[in-house]
Amino acid sequence: MTEKEYRSHPAISRSELWQIHDSPQKFRYFKEHPDEPTPALLFGQAFHKMALEPDTFDLEFAVMPDVDRRTKDGKQLWADFLEQAENKTIIPTEMYEQAKAMCEALAAVPFAQKLLNGRREVAFFWTDERTGEECKCRVDCLNTQYSQPIVVDVKSTTDASTDAFIRDAIKYGYDFQAAMYAEGVSKHIQQKPLFVFIAVEKTPPYAVNILQADELLLQRGQNIFRECIEIYHDCKLSGNWYGYLGKNNQINTLALPAWLAKDVT
């Protein structure tokens, strides 16, 4: 299944549920008004394709040629390029070179390559038992060579150090992703998988870190998944895609966080 086919499938995805976590109102808006891919998202797509499916990279991406489009020859070369790149995602040369350097750094880590020695870009679909909602996930790699299956997720990041990555995991919902993906995979293989992140920095020397999600991280992620899927289900039934005031339009309390409140009392 291609990424385009996966994205068009109506089941709810991790990225969509993460918008629900922000607010149902935003989820519905962006569902009806999808944004154009940001440069960061475009880079992530190109890097993932090059790292996980390099043999078919050229079928989906085209790299901009270095031509002067102000000249007659340059205009013709650009027109020829656009014709050849039809239906492909066009990326600048700098983005291509950056992704290539990161992939070379990733390939230089033997254990990372062992982890990625499995089925790549595999889509899973399942029905949530409590809500009956159809769910989906597309894992970067499922490695079944060890006694316990391993779901491997490759992340590009500005800082792959363990302390920085855990902050990103909480901020961007990587714990939620790990729990949701692990649940989806386990429905198919009838065994609970481990979940491992491979983080690659975007700047030289493109440092690589490998991090396994522990049970507490997965439990927190599972709690968020359950909260989001229940909200999604409730909003679908009620038609009330509420915002920050909640489904009952209640005013929120502006309170000091616990770590700051103790200095006041």
Side-chain angles (χ1 to χ4, degrees):
M1 172 178 281
T2 65
E3 183 174 357
K4 184 177 181 180
E5 291 171 335
Y6 169 78
R7 291 184 181 279
S8 66
H9 193 283
I12 193 75
S13 69
R14 173 259 177 189
S15 59
E16 291 173 322
L17 282 180
W18 189 241
Q19 289 177 337
I20 287 278
H21 184 258
D22 195 5
S23 84
Q25 181 186 40
K26 287 189 176 181
F27 162 80
R28 187 178 185 186
Y29 177 84
F30 289 115
K31 189 75 171 177
E32 296 174 349
H33 307 83
D35 283 340
E36 289 294 321
T38 63
L41 180 60
L42 186 61
F43 174 78
Q45 292 172 348
F47 168 63
H48 267 77
K49 186 66 178 179
M50 191 181 297
L52 300 171
E53 298 179 304
D55 293 342
T56 56
F57 180 85
D58 292 336
L59 298 179
E60 295 186 24
F61 290 88
V63 183
M64 293 180 184
D66 184 14
V67 298
D68 186 352
R69 282 182 271 171
R70 295 171 298 180
T71 67
K72 181 179 179 180
D73 289 343
K75 289 179 180 178
Q76 184 59 53
L77 289 170
W78 181 253
D80 293 342
F81 166 73
L82 291 180
E83 183 178 354
Q84 295 172 3
E86 187 177 5
N87 297 323
K88 296 182 182 180
T89 301
I90 298 174
I91 60 174
T93 302
E94 296 79 7
M95 184 180 290
Y96 172 80
E97 293 296 340
Q98 182 184 8
K100 181 180 177 182
M102 291 171 64
C103 289
E104 290 172 351
L106 182 61
V109 182
F111 187 52
Q113 294 308 301
K114 287 184 179 179
L115 287 170
L116 290 170
N117 186 17
R119 297 169 58 199
R120 299 184 179 186
E121 298 287 14
V122 189
F124 293 93
F125 301 88
W126 73 101
T127 302
D128 179 61
E129 294 179 0
R130 292 193 198 177
T131 64
E133 297 295 344
E134 297 299 314
C135 302
K136 66 181 179 181
C137 68
R138 194 167 190 246
V139 304
D140 287 350
C141 181
L142 176 60
N143 188 320
T144 56
Q145 299 183 69
Y146 301 94
S147 58
Q148 188 169 1
I150 304 173
V151 174
V152 184
D153 191 79
V154 180
K155 296 289 188 193
S156 57
T157 180
T158 56
D159 188 346
S161 67
T162 302
D163 287 344
F165 195 82
I166 187 60
R167 289 193 294 269
D168 282 351
I170 300 304
K171 181 178 180 180
Y172 299 115
Y174 297 166
D175 51 350
F176 161 55
Q177 175 192 3
M180 181 177 177
Y181 282 26
E183 178 166 327
V185 171
S186 66
K187 297 285 186 182
H188 287 265
I189 66 175
Q190 309 304 317
Q191 188 177 2
K192 183 179 179 180
L194 301 174
F195 199 100
V196 173
F197 293 99
I198 301 178
V200 187
E201 291 183 350
K202 299 178 183 179
T203 54
Y206 309 106
V208 177
N209 197 0
I210 301 175
L211 312 100
Q212 179 180 332
D214 70 7
E215 286 301 319
L216 281 178
L217 190 89
L218 288 169
Q219 184 57 59
R220 182 179 187 275
Q222 180 65 20
N223 293 342
I224 297 173
F225 170 65
R226 290 263 37 106
E227 176 188 6
C228 290
I229 196 72
E230 296 286 350
I231 292 174
Y232 173 65
H233 181 66
D234 180 65
C235 288
K236 281 183 65 178
L237 292 178
S238 67
N240 180 13
W241 300 90
Y242 51 85
Y244 293 135
L245 294 178
K247 62 181 178 180
N248 297 317
N249 284 311
Q250 294 178 324
I251 189 171
N252 293 298
T253 300
L254 190 62
L256 291 174
W259 62 269
L260 189 56
K262 66 180 182 180
D263 293 334
V264 178
T265 56

